Amino acid sequence: MGLFSKIKEGLRKTKESMVKGMQRVVNSFTKIDEDLFEQLEETMIMSDMGVETSTQICDLLRKRIKERGVTDPAKIMELIQEIIAEMMGDDTELDLSTTPSVIMVIGVNGAGKTTTIGKLCHQYKQQGKKVLVAAADTFRAAAIDQLQVWTERAGVDIVKHAEGSDPAAVVFDAITAAKARNCDVLICDTAGRLHNKKNLMEELRKINRILNQQAEGCAVETLLVLDATTGQNAVSQARLFKEVADITGIVLTKLDGTAKGGIVISIKNELGIPVKLIGVGEQIDDLQPFDNHSFVSALFERAPEEETNETTDSGDE
C-alpha cells in the first residue's frame, strides 16, 4: 500500500465524522446564511478541530465568500479545503543532516513513545543508518526493558543505566558513544511526567544543557508523541510540553483508530508546531512522514459514488 493510500485509509474515520459531516450541513442549505456558518462551526468543533481553529476557519470562510461573491452553498467545501490547506502550510521533514543527528522523544506514558522509537530504529536501520538509543526514561524500569526489546528486534545498540539514574548522565554517555561509534542517528527516550511539571522542566533543561555542550553542531529534533484518540486532550498536552521543551515536531500516533484527526489542524494552527510523523497502523512501517498536502487531499477527496449521487440528486431536483 502506497503512502497516500495509507494516509487515506488512516483518515477514514476522521473523514466520515468531519468532512462528510460538513458536507451534510452544506447539502441541507439552499442559500448561504448565518445558520449555515453556525452549523458548520459546530460540526468542526465536534470533530476536535477546537473552538479557536473552527472559529477562525469560519471567519475566513465568511470573508472569502463575500470577496468572491459566492452564493451557492455547493462551493463552500472547496473554500474550506483551500483554507485548511493554507493553515497546514508546507511539509517539514526531520533534520538528520549531521553525523550524529539527535532525536529527543518526549510524551506522556501510553501515547506510543516507546513504539515510535522502536519503529524509527527499524526504519533507519533498513535505510542503512547506524542507530543508537539512549534509555533516559530511568524512572520506570519497564520503560528501559520495553526499549531494550525494541532495540534488539531492530538490531540497534542501546545505552542504559540502572533504574533511577540521572537521565542527563545517560544522554551524556549516549552522545559520547554515538560520536565514538560514528553513528548516524541517536534517539533519546525521556520521561513524560506531566503531573510533576517542575521536575520534568528541570530534567529536560538539564538534558538540553548536555545536548548543547556535547552535541554542539549536531542537528537536534525534539519530537512530542501524542495519541490522536485523545483529541483535544492531546492539544492540551502539547501546550504544556511546549512550556518545558523546544518542540520541533509532533508524532501523532493511532490516527487510524480515531475520528479525531481534526486535531492535526488544531495543533498546527494554534501551536505552530508541525506534525512530522503519523502512525496509521500497527505494522512496523506504519509510522510515516507526515505530508500536509496528502493529508488535506485524503480528507477532501471525493469518492466516485459521492459525485454520482450528487449528479443524480441535482437531476431529481
Side-chain angles (χ1 to χ4, degrees):
M1 191 184 286
L3 177 58
F4 180 75
S5 299
K6 281 190 175 182
I7 292 174
K8 186 177 170 184
E9 180 59 28
L11 288 170
R12 191 166 47 81
K13 291 181 181 177
T14 296
K15 181 172 182 173
E16 188 64 43
S17 166
M18 184 174 87
V19 179
K20 290 190 177 178
M22 290 190 286
Q23 187 72 64
R24 283 190 288 272
V25 169
V26 168
N27 290 347
S28 68
F29 283 82
T30 54
K31 65 174 185 175
I32 299 172
D33 58 19
E34 198 52 37
D35 283 344
L36 170 55
F37 288 120
E38 284 179 13
Q39 286 192 38
L40 273 176
E41 190 172 318
E42 188 179 320
T43 303
M44 290 176 195
I45 293 168
M46 296 294 285
S47 302
D48 276 79
M49 268 201 270
V51 175
E52 185 181 324
T53 297
S54 301
T55 302
Q56 194 174 333
I57 290 170
C58 286
D59 286 346
L60 286 166
L61 188 59
R62 286 184 183 91
K63 189 178 176 187
R64 288 192 192 185
I65 284 169
K66 190 174 181 181
E67 285 173 353
R68 300 180 191 181
V70 176
T71 56
D72 183 359
K75 302 287 184 188
I76 282 178
M77 290 305 291
E78 290 174 27
L79 293 175
I80 293 173
Q81 181 175 351
E82 181 184 296
I83 290 165
I84 289 175
E86 287 171 11
M87 276 186 171
M88 294 304 297
D90 294 323
D91 298 331
T92 313
E93 297 180 351
L94 291 181
D95 181 3
L96 302 177
S97 59
T98 62
T99 304
S101 294
V102 182
I103 301 174
M104 191 161 78
V105 184
I106 61 179
V108 297
N109 299 331
K113 193 158 52 88
T114 309
T115 308
T116 295
I117 292 170
K119 289 180 178 180
L120 283 174
C121 287
H122 172 81
Q123 290 179 16
Y124 290 145
K125 183 73 186 290
Q126 291 297 103
Q127 292 168 19
K129 294 183 188 296
K130 192 169 184 181
V131 182
L132 183 65
V133 173
D137 184 354
T138 59
F139 293 91
R140 284 193 315 129
I144 301 170
D145 294 341
Q146 287 165 3
L147 206 55
Q148 176 123 27
V149 170
W150 274 105
T151 55
E152 286 173 1
R153 196 180 297 168
V156 305
D157 291 337
I158 185 169
V159 172
K160 62 177 184 173
H161 288 190
E163 180 188 352
S165 301
D166 181 0
V170 180
V171 172
F172 181 95
D173 286 353
I175 294 169
T176 305
K179 287 177 176 178
R181 300 176 200 179
N182 202 30
C183 292
D184 297 297
V185 184
L186 169 63
I187 304 175
C188 304
D189 186 22
T190 63
R193 302 178 315 287
L194 266 182
H195 61 278
N196 195 339
K197 202 167 72 175
K198 187 173 182 292
N199 282 3
L200 177 65
M201 189 183 298
E202 196 51 50
E203 183 182 308
L204 289 173
R205 191 177 287 132
K206 199 171 175 183
I207 289 172
N208 278 324
R209 273 202 304 272
I210 296 296
L211 285 172
N212 290 335
Q213 291 165 10
Q214 300 301 115
E216 188 179 358
C218 293
V220 178
E221 291 276 358
T222 302
L223 300 181
L224 171 62
V225 180
L226 297 173
D227 180 343
T229 63
T230 61
Q232 283 297 307
N233 281 341
V235 182
S236 299
Q237 281 177 29
R239 287 187 199 280
L240 287 168
F241 270 107
K242 195 181 178 189
E243 291 176 19
V244 300
D246 182 18
I247 302 165
T248 59
I250 299 287
V251 181
L252 199 61
T253 64
K254 308 174 194 175
L255 194 58
D256 57 315
T258 183
K260 299 176 177 179
I263 66 163
V264 175
I265 304 160
S266 182
I267 289 167
K268 180 66 170 69
N269 182 54
E270 295 172 32
L271 303 179
I273 307 170
V275 175
K276 293 196 176 183
L277 295 165
I278 53 169
V280 286
E282 295 300 318
Q283 299 304 310
I284 201 100
D285 62 343
D286 287 336
L287 182 71
Q288 298 285 348
F290 183 70
D291 181 324
N292 289 326
H293 302 294
S294 292
F295 170 78
V296 177
S297 297
L299 272 182
F300 286 90
E301 187 183 54
R302 304 285 293 279
E305 63 268 21
E306 287 180 60
E307 294 174 1
T308 305
N309 290 342
E310 192 175 273
T311 307
T312 308
D313 291 344
S314 57
D316 290 341
E317 284 173 11

